[in-house]
Amino acid sequence: MTDTTTGAELRAFVEIFEQLAEEKRQIVDQQKEVLIEAKGRGYDVTILREIIKRRAMDPEDLAERDAVLEMYQAALGM
């Protein structure tokens, strides 16, 4: 590879990464808007975030987490 080819290829990788980073920022902004709208309609955003997190988890990991949580709560008399 020549220096010109290497430079052009490197520039392309950097530009692609930068474009993806911009798209990611836009998606994050859109997600924030969805939560703002939900909050405006009276939903608890903290609970919504927890639901979203739990839905993304592996079912076995979620079941294990819930079991440990229940065990800890029982130990604390909750």
Side-chain angles (χ1 to χ4, degrees):
M1 256 191 256
T2 66
D3 286 341
T4 305
T5 304
T6 303
E9 185 177 67
L10 182 58
R11 177 174 277 105
F13 285 130
V14 169
E15 289 173 354
I16 291 168
F17 187 90
E18 289 171 341
Q19 178 60 37
L20 291 170
E22 177 58 30
E23 291 173 17
K24 183 178 175 181
R25 279 190 289 276
Q26 291 173 1
I27 291 170
V28 168
D29 288 343
Q30 291 170 355
Q31 289 174 323
K32 287 178 185 176
E33 289 298 320
V34 168
L35 292 178
I36 288 169
E37 183 176 348
K39 184 175 182 177
R41 292 179 178 259
Y43 293 100
D44 185 323
V45 174
T46 303
I47 300 300
L48 286 176
R49 287 183 187 275
E50 182 66 23
I51 290 170
I52 293 164
K53 179 180 174 183
R54 292 172 65 87
R55 285 173 51 104
M57 291 179 71
D58 177 89
E60 290 180 13
D61 292 341
L62 181 58
E64 181 179 336
R65 180 178 178 199
D66 287 345
V68 172
L69 177 61
E70 288 176 20
M71 182 176 59
Y72 286 9
Q73 287 177 322
L76 294 170
M78 297 175 67

